[in-house]
Amino acid sequence: MNSEEAKLTIKRITSELKQHSYQYYVLAQPSISDTEFDIMLKKLEALEKEYPQYQNPDSPTLKVGGSITKEFKNIVHKYPMLSLGNTYSEQELVEFDQRVTKAIGKQVPYVCELKFDGLAIGITYKDGKLVQAVTRGDGTKGDDVTENVKTIRSIPHQLKPGDYPDEFEIRGEIFMHRKAFEKMNAERAENGEQIYANPRNFAAGTIKLQDSAEVAKRPLDCYLYFIYADNLPIKSHAESLKVAERWGFPVCQHYVLCETITEALEFIHHWENKRNTLSFDIDGIVIKVDDYNIQNELGFTAKSPRWAISYKYKAQQAETILEKVSYQVGRTGAVTPVANLKPVLLAGTTVKRATLHNANEIERLDLCEGDWVFVEKGGEIIPKIIGVNLAKRKSGLSLVQYPTLCPECQSILSRKEGEAVHYCLNDTDCPPQIIGKIQHFISRKAMNMDGIGDETVEYFYREKLIKSIADLYDLPNKKERLLSLDRFGEKSVTKLLEGLEASKQMPFERVLFGLGIRFVGATVAKKLAMHFKTIDALMTASYDQLIEVDEIGERIAESVVKYFNMHSTELLIKHLRNKGLQLESKHIEKEPQSDMLKDKTFVISGTFTKNSREGLKEIIEENGGKMLSGISTKLNYLVAGENMGPAKLQKANDLNIPIISEDDLLNMLK
């Protein structure tokens, strides 16, 4: 490679790594595996070493990794939050030990710990009270996610009296157990919401949500493993782990004090074979010099400590034959390609299928049916194909062509510009969509119908008893037909019909969620029901009116408007109304406590420290004030909190509407 080629290569890899870092740290949606990222980073390091004149001052090799989101307050770390150097080579671990031994002049003990595949966090305590939690960010400053971290049940808010310093920081890793992840992901898929590739992404995405109440619904966990404080009376890392546990912190018990690097390698080999038995994901082992005085003597490089290193396990892979690519149609019309594989043992389980995500992925992999493919299960719960063994490709194989027609109903597939997924738009006649919508409607979080389950819905559809949600409520008129079916006696039919009748009392927000509007999950349905009160108000709401509702973004607003503009929706709502379902909110308005805010109108936006938005709304209404759905000339006050949307702020300024704080509002009531 000549100088000019090196310059262009360094520029290209730098740009690609920055984009991958953004996907990983900010969006929590990595576009490549950790292994691929590390290989690219090492290649860049080697090139920059050979051609230092072309190194970008903002090069990923000079950064810890990560970025600052705009939604949270930025906090400067009192103690820089550096990342560890990592390796996939046991020889490099031996060389690390040789450097340490040479610098210190003797063999030193190491503590070996599991390397959790989660989100790094630093939590500060004052007088035993949790006062702040900050993400790694760029290593110098991170995001203040205190309220979200407080929802994690394993993290103490107040320590019992003990020998801890007046102020200290403890660091660790936030993660999600695999079973909890699988359950949450299944619920999101059922609701038509984005699903996450692995628990690490789900945990990272969760901790950066703006609504801590929503964070609390997601079962995050945390292990803590490093204490920082001025004049800390602890002499070693192993001692600090025992101290942290004594103070009441969750500490993983899978660590060991090793006298030599050989013992450390034995610990690495043990967990490489046993990691699948854990309830959470690890991607390697961390090796730290135990003695704090020796740590201080060894010091730091610009981005990592010289006294620690992480050994990363290679992603678990297998090689097998791609027998066929099939396509699944979900209730939202999304068409997902699935690789059907010759069964192969991978990470302790037999794998027969792997996800192919979308048409872009098939094109990237350059797949043929009959290919030998490499399957990986790294941090992924669902195995994925990562490459093709071209050396084994037989002649005459044809590249996989993504279908242009729906595999179920033969309608033309559509892909929106900027999106990767193809959709079947025939939601009224495509069998999997119809069945999926009905199954969603009867589900526990929606109408929670007794006496009818997913298999029954499929059976009834095949028997031409139902072909839409509306048809469920016509089943009482078909009792004789129901009794003639296999496995349906008097008792089971009675239970089914009673379940249908009872579902008519489900509140409006459950009905709204059950309709299965794309991007409208249970939480969004509740917010829409509370805001618009009736199905009629929601059906006639404009895009601008929807976007003004707290936490209703552009994508949700577009989807709601599109859904209620369809003639089929109009007919469905009319049918459900005639059958007696609840299509308006039964929320009882509280009697005003005073009229101090009488004839005054308010809009609330942002996050607040003393009250939630719902709490402030109640305060306003209890004192005679009125809430508006959006900013207009009829508005008297905009109550602004942190992270308020810039569009609302600009509109309020343009209309000269007074912008007040939470304290200003409360002072109006004194």
Side-chain angles (χ1 to χ4, degrees), residues 85 124 177 241 474 501:
T124 300
H177 293 275
L241 292 172
D474 291 332
E501 190 61 28

Side-chain angles (χ1 to χ4, degrees), residues 154 175 213 226 287 433 436 502 530 539 602 617 656 662 666:
S154 56
F175 62 91
F226 210 97
I287 302 163
Q433 292 189 63
M530 289 179 66
M539 288 177 76
F602 298 83
K617 178 175 178 285
N656 294 318
E662 180 180 19
L666 299 177

Side-chain angles (χ1 to χ4, degrees), residues 414-427:
S414 170
R415 179 161 68 166
K416 193 174 180 180
E417 188 175 350
E419 291 190 1
V421 178
H422 284 77
Y423 285 90
C424 170
L425 303 181
N426 180 22
D427 61 345

Side-chain angles (χ1 to χ4, degrees), residues 509-523:
E509 65 258 24
R510 298 280 284 270
V511 179
L512 184 56
F513 171 59
L515 294 177
I517 306 169
R518 194 177 173 201
F519 307 129
V520 177
T523 301

Side-chain angles (χ1 to χ4, degrees), residues 530-531 533 587-598 600 602 604 613-628 665 669:
M530 289 179 66
H531 184 87
K533 310 295 185 191
H587 177 69
I588 300 172
E589 300 292 336
K590 292 184 178 180
E591 287 293 321
Q593 294 182 359
S594 79
D595 60 358
M596 296 178 73
L597 301 180
K598 186 179 179 182
K600 293 182 174 64
F602 298 83
I604 301 169
R613 282 194 292 270
E614 286 304 316
L616 288 176
K617 178 175 178 285
E618 286 186 16
I619 289 171
I620 289 168
E621 293 178 341
E622 286 172 359
N623 289 279
K626 183 181 178 183
M627 297 299 301
L628 296 186
L665 173 64
L669 301 173

Side-chain angles (χ1 to χ4, degrees), residues 158-374:
Q158 179 69 58
L159 303 180
K160 295 176 182 177
D163 57 349
Y164 42 78
D166 293 339
E167 181 177 345
F168 67 92
E169 180 181 343
I170 187 164
R171 290 181 178 170
E173 201 92 0
I174 293 170
F175 62 91
M176 186 178 284
H177 293 275
R178 281 194 290 266
K179 283 194 178 295
F181 163 76
E182 290 168 8
K183 181 181 177 184
M184 294 291 293
N185 233 7
E187 289 180 358
R188 291 179 70 81
E190 182 182 315
N191 297 341
E193 298 172 316
Q194 172 205 358
I195 62 171
Y196 288 86
N198 53 51
R200 189 268 167 201
N201 295 1
F202 209 154
T206 297
I207 211 67
K208 293 188 177 182
L209 290 175
Q210 289 292 300
D211 186 353
S212 58
E214 185 63 27
V215 177
K217 297 176 185 176
R218 302 186 182 184
L220 297 179
D221 205 345
C222 182
Y223 278 134
L224 298 162
Y225 47 68
F226 210 97
I227 304 169
Y228 284 90
D230 298 336
N231 304 314
L232 189 66
I234 298 174
K235 296 182 179 180
S236 72
H237 185 58
E239 181 189 352
S240 76
L241 292 172
K242 294 174 182 175
V243 167
E245 188 176 10
R246 189 175 75 235
W247 290 349
F249 291 108
V251 173
C252 180
Q253 298 302 305
H254 301 304
Y255 67 90
V256 65
L257 183 62
C258 300
E259 295 298 327
T260 65
I261 197 67
T262 303
E263 291 180 18
L265 290 171
E266 289 172 359
F267 185 80
I268 286 170
H269 298 155
H270 171 80
W271 282 108
E272 184 163 23
N273 296 323
K274 297 279 288 182
R275 57 179 163 147
N276 293 318
T277 65
L278 295 166
S279 66
F280 51 86
D281 286 340
I282 64 169
D283 56 1
I285 299 295
V286 177
I287 302 163
K288 299 172 183 170
V289 170
D290 184 43
D291 189 296
Y292 279 175
N293 288 329
I294 296 177
Q295 286 186 10
N296 292 331
E297 189 175 340
L298 290 168
F300 301 83
T301 68
K303 58 180 287 190
S304 59
R306 290 191 176 93
W307 42 264
I309 191 170
S310 68
Y311 177 86
K312 297 183 78 172
Y313 294 126
K314 294 180 178 67
Q316 293 167 307
Q317 295 181 5
E319 189 178 3
T320 188
I321 296 174
L322 170 63
E323 295 183 331
K324 182 178 177 60
V325 176
S326 58
Y327 300 86
Q328 294 180 336
V329 182
R331 70 172 177 83
T332 63
V335 179
T336 306
V338 177
N340 297 275
L341 308 168
K342 183 178 181 180
V344 62
L345 191 65
L346 176 61
T349 59
T350 300
V351 173
K352 299 178 182 179
R353 289 150 64 88
T355 179
L356 285 169
H357 298 297
N358 50 54
N360 293 348
E361 183 70 358
I362 291 176
E363 185 177 347
R364 184 186 73 81
L365 290 167
D366 197 35
L367 280 178
C368 296
E369 290 183 348
D371 271 337
W372 281 87
V373 294
F374 299 108

